[in-house]
Amino acid sequence: MAKIGYARVSSKEQNLDRQLEALQDVSKVFSDKASGQSTERPQLQAMLTYLREGDIVVVTELDRLGRNNKQLTELMNQIQQKGATLEVLNLPSMTGIEDDNLRRLINNLMIELYKYQAESERKRIRERQAQGIAIAKQRGRFKGRKKKYSFEDEGLQHAFDLYQQGLTEKEIERKTGINRTTFRRYRQKGSVAKFKNQIQGL
């Protein structure tokens, strides 16, 4: 049995020090600098492959593992299918309970409650944002979110070049760090703009 740590931050600019400090007692740590929207993170997949029966996956907070209820449930199922368990450091410790089955049951129930609470909070945040945007639009103050990339951005142009070379969106995300959903959206916008220019030129 080994304790296997997993740490994640959302971007390359953020640092993992706080999580790594909390995970210093584990045998091995896997870490990603990637969005939690997708489970296709290199080190997350490596960690799931590495797991053996009896291992314990340790994360500082549940949202380091995944962002939503469905994603977390799928990942927890994969961990359990390996015969491993999940420990979340910011949840109360179960170390005082000697019976393994009871400890595992209570731990899983607590995680389910935490998932429900986190999902509910995200929904409330989205609702408040939508209400705020609606009010701002009514008052003529809403300008929308600033675009992350311009079509002249070197990283985005590099991604387009890789796509033309036949690389998949997953491979492009790995090489450039541009989320595949974001890349797809810009690619579709580029195709529409190109079509409009062709029509105007006729």
Side-chain angles (χ1 to χ4, degrees):
M1 180 190 81
K3 283 196 170 187
I4 311 301
Y6 177 72
R8 180 186 67 80
V9 289
S10 298
S11 69
K12 293 178 180 178
E13 291 73 30
Q14 294 175 301
N15 97 41
L16 292 155
D17 292 352
R18 180 184 64 82
Q19 293 177 63
L20 297 178
E21 176 70 21
L23 295 170
Q24 61 181 337
D25 293 331
V26 304
S27 304
K28 186 175 178 65
V29 177
F30 294 85
S31 61
D32 280 307
K33 290 193 171 186
S35 168
Q37 292 179 341
S38 169
T39 59
E40 294 299 323
R41 297 169 237 146
Q43 289 298 295
L44 173 63
Q45 294 303 319
M47 185 268 290
L48 292 170
T49 301
Y50 182 85
L51 283 181
R52 298 295 181 267
E53 187 172 354
D55 286 349
I56 300 172
V57 176
V58 185
V59 292
T60 55
E61 298 98 16
L62 197 58
D63 63 1
R64 298 304 86 201
L65 192 63
R67 290 277 297 276
N68 59 60
N69 203 319
K70 181 182 177 183
Q71 190 183 75
L72 284 167
T73 299
E74 289 173 354
L75 287 170
M76 287 171 63
N77 286 341
Q78 290 181 59
I79 290 169
Q80 289 172 355
Q81 285 167 10
K82 288 276 191 172
T85 54
L86 176 65
E87 180 182 329
V88 184
L89 294 183
N90 72 333
L91 296 181
S93 172
M94 300 289 112
T95 52
I97 301 173
E98 294 182 3
D99 187 293
D100 287 343
N101 290 329
L102 180 59
R103 184 170 63 248
R104 192 175 296 114
L105 173 63
I106 295 174
N107 185 64
N108 287 343
L109 285 172
M110 288 182 62
I111 289 172
E112 288 298 325
L113 286 170
Y114 182 89
K115 281 164 53 182
Y116 174 79
Q117 182 184 22
E119 187 76 10
S120 297
E121 180 59 25
R122 275 191 288 270
K123 286 180 180 177
R124 286 194 292 271
I125 289 170
R126 286 196 294 268
E127 287 170 0
R128 288 196 293 268
Q129 286 174 337
Q131 290 168 357
I133 289 170
I135 291 169
K137 282 182 176 179
Q138 287 175 359
R139 296 176 180 174
R141 296 177 183 172
F142 181 69
K143 297 180 180 179
R145 186 171 61 179
K146 185 180 178 180
K147 291 181 179 179
K148 190 171 183 179
Y149 301 99
S150 70
F151 279 101
E152 291 74 30
D153 183 270
E154 289 183 7
L156 190 59
Q157 288 299 320
H158 179 50
F160 285 142
D161 290 340
L162 293 174
Y163 184 74
Q164 291 295 325
Q165 293 170 28
L167 272 70
T168 66
E169 291 177 349
K170 181 178 177 181
E171 291 169 331
I172 291 169
E173 181 178 14
R174 190 176 298 126
K175 284 179 176 292
T176 65
I178 298 175
N179 179 276
R180 71 189 72 177
T181 304
T182 301
F183 173 66
R184 191 181 304 127
R185 184 169 66 249
Y186 276 91
R187 183 162 51 81
Q188 289 168 348
K189 284 181 180 178
S191 297
V192 170
K194 184 177 180 181
F195 177 74
K196 284 182 178 178
N197 289 337
Q198 288 173 342
I199 293 296
Q200 290 170 357
L202 292 176

